Amino acid sequence: MLITQLTPDYFDAVIALANDVHGDNYIDQQSLKEIYNKGVKKGINASFIALDNNKLVGVRLSYAPGNWQIDAWCSPKLWHHKSESVAYFKCIAIDKSQQGKGIGPQLLAASIAALKEQGATAGIAHLWRQSPGNGAVKYFTKAGGILIKNHPDRWLKQCQEEGYLCTLCGRDCHCEAAEMILPFK
């Protein structure tokens, strides 16, 4: 297994994997370019991929501290970190045949190392509460993540305005997001 920084050469494979795991229209070329650019700071890229025999089997997309906008789904007063030093974990997707093999933690560790070099002291994520067995929240909690707040209907607007198709709810997503912070040591 090779963990390496994401490059534009892998954009098509990342889009296919992310949309397979999270639902149709979760990411497209334009949004992935924006996500990629938000992950680069000080010449350091904080987004990583996992390759198995040159096949993409995992991706971790992250925003550098100061390169993303805090929105209504964020609770910076509860973070106990300066908002300008907090990174954002946008997305993780692992090929279904590769889940449970430790790829997610390896990708997270690589992103954290890069984010620290960029000046981050913590990272925020919005984790899908309805993931099978609430696995997303369990994974992030095991990594040291702390629950900040729950957000109902987190992806509803994306369904209505951007054509996102939730794997559970379709075009009328009422899934809940767990806003969690992961302090870096």
Side-chain angles (χ1 to χ4, degrees), residues 40-66:
V40 178
K41 185 174 188 176
K42 298 181 181 179
I44 302 163
N45 180 359
S47 292
F48 286 82
I49 57 173
L51 300 171
D52 186 19
N53 293 318
N54 291 321
K55 179 187 178 214
L56 181 85
V57 295
V59 61
R60 158 62 70 195
L61 302 174
S62 303
Y63 297 160

Side-chain angles (χ1 to χ4, degrees), residues 5-174:
Q5 289 183 331
L6 172 64
T7 64
D9 296 337
Y10 288 96
F11 279 12
D12 288 339
V14 166
I15 292 165
L17 178 61
N19 288 344
D20 181 54
V21 170
H22 296 291
D24 289 342
N25 301 318
Y26 182 74
I27 294 178
D28 60 21
Q29 279 288 337
Q30 182 60 38
S31 63
L32 184 53
K33 286 178 188 174
E34 292 171 11
I35 291 166
Y36 176 80
N37 289 332
K38 289 179 182 179
V40 178
K41 185 174 188 176
K42 298 181 181 179
I44 302 163
N45 180 359
S47 292
F48 286 82
I49 57 173
L51 300 171
D52 186 19
N53 293 318
N54 291 321
K55 179 187 178 214
L56 181 85
V57 295
V59 61
R60 158 62 70 195
L61 302 174
S62 303
Y63 297 160
N67 280 11
W68 62 284
Q69 186 169 350
I70 294 170
D71 61 20
W73 304 104
C74 295
S75 309
K77 290 181 181 176
L78 303 176
W79 295 348
H80 304 293
H81 289 263
K82 294 179 181 179
S83 58
E84 61 272 9
S85 68
V86 175
Y88 188 78
F89 296 112
K90 168 64 177 152
C91 168
I92 186 159
I94 307 296
D95 185 280
K96 291 172 186 163
S97 69
Q98 299 294 315
Q99 292 177 2
K101 296 182 179 181
I103 297 169
Q106 290 179 63
L107 289 167
L108 181 62
S111 278
I112 289 171
L115 292 166
K116 285 169 132 179
E117 286 185 57
Q118 294 173 341
T121 62
I124 285 289
H126 288 92
L127 295 125
W128 185 35
R129 281 270 190 206
Q130 284 72 26
S131 64
N134 199 21
V137 172
K138 288 178 183 175
Y139 150 78
F140 210 68
T141 300
K142 187 176 180 181
I146 302 162
L147 179 65
I148 299 296
K149 187 176 180 178
N150 289 311
H151 298 279
D153 298 337
R154 168 65 175 91
W155 295 279
L156 180 60
K157 183 177 178 183
Q158 191 175 354
C159 285
Q160 294 171 338
E161 296 179 7
E162 299 171 25
Y164 171 57
L165 186 63
C166 174
T167 58
L168 292 180
C169 310
R171 297 218 184 278
D172 191 31
C173 182
H174 293 283

